[in-house]
Each structure stands twice: as structure tokens, then as C-alpha cells.
């Protein structure tokens, strides 16, 4: 049985997906976790999750954030944010390894400012071409 004030629930073995993902440090804030759920970036057992969807031990949670996919299996339910060592015990991380440095180096990157012109650059172009501003 859990102690009073313990982050582990003893009465029911489930928690909201936004609360659990925040508690195990997959998101910096609970509101960011809820926003990711509303945006369709969180999946529980293969289906898109709403923020209040319940997760239980054994569920697979997939998160797509920052261009990286995280795949974790719920090991233990917690509802309060805990330290990293305890959070690591509450999940099994099945995320694919990041790409090697050789692959990342070979991927093309756009230089800053090489895309769409900024407002200042557009005005300079308009002046150069003799377009008048109204």
C-alpha cells in the first residue's frame, strides 16, 4: 500500500495520460502534455489520445515531439512529478535510437535566412525594383 502523500495511487491503477506523461518527465509542463494530446501527437495503444484518457500499466504510449518519436510502456502509475531516477522506473523506454552523426551530417539543412525573405528584406527588394508602398 502506498504511503500518504506518495505519488503512486493505491486506490485505482490508472491516471490521465497528460498527467502521467508530465509526471514521468516526457513533457516539461502538464499544459504542454495536454496540448500535445489535443494536437494528435500522443497515442495510447495505437489510437490518438485525448488529455483525459486513462493509462494503465502495460499500455504503450507513443509521443511525437520535437521531430523525435518516443515509445514508452507504462510500468507504474504516478500522478505527481518526481525525480528522473524514479521516473525512469515508472516506464520502459522502447524508443528507437537516434540517427548516427554521419547520417545527421549528410542530411541537408537550410541556412538561417535562406528561406522566405523577412519583412525588411521584402521592403528592400520592393525599393530596389521601384515598387511604391501605399
Amino acid at each position: 500500500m502506498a504511503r500518504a502523500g506518495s505519488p503512486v495511487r493505491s486506490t485505482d491503477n490508472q491516471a490521465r495520460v497528460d498527467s502521467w506523461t508530465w509526471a514521468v518527465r516526457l513533457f516539461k509542463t502538464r499544459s504542454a502534455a495536454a496540448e500535445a494530446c489535443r494536437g494528435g501527437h500522443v497515442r495510447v495503444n495505437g489510437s490518438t489520445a485525448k488529455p483525459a484518457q486513462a493509462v494503465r500499466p502495460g499500455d504503450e504510449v507513443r509521443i511525437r515531439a520535437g521531430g523525435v518519436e518516443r515509445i514508452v510502456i507504462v510500468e507504474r502509475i504516478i500522478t505527481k512529478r518526481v525525480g528522473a531516477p524514479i521516473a525512469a522506473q515508472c516506464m520502459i523506454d522502447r524508443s528507437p535510437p537516434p540517427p548516427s552523426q554521419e547520417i545527421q551530417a549528410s542530411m541537408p539543412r537550410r541556412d538561417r535566412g535562406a528561406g522566405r525573405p523577412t519583412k525588411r528584406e521584402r521592403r528592400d527588394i520592393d525599393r530596389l525594383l521601384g515598387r511604391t508602398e501605399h
Side-chain angles (χ1 to χ4, degrees), residues 120-132:
R120 172 182 269 168
E121 292 168 342
R122 184 184 51 79
R123 287 179 179 161
D124 290 341
I125 291 168
D126 286 345
R127 274 191 222 106
L128 181 66
L129 296 176
R131 297 181 190 151
T132 56

Side-chain angles (χ1 to χ4, degrees), residues 22-77:
W22 166 76
V24 295
R25 299 175 167 266
L26 295 174
F27 290 101
K28 287 186 179 186
T29 63
R30 183 170 173 187
S31 60
E35 188 65 32
C37 291
R38 283 191 290 274
H41 302 290
V42 178
R43 297 172 86 63
V44 176
N45 295 327
S47 62
T48 305
K50 292 184 179 179
Q53 181 171 339
V55 291
R56 294 171 182 81
D59 286 351
E60 178 188 70
V61 179
R62 290 177 176 256
I63 297 169
R64 183 107 181 128
V68 178
E69 185 173 31
R70 300 279 314 264
I71 303 168
V72 296
I73 307 296
V74 179
E75 185 72 18
R76 203 169 86 188
I77 298 297

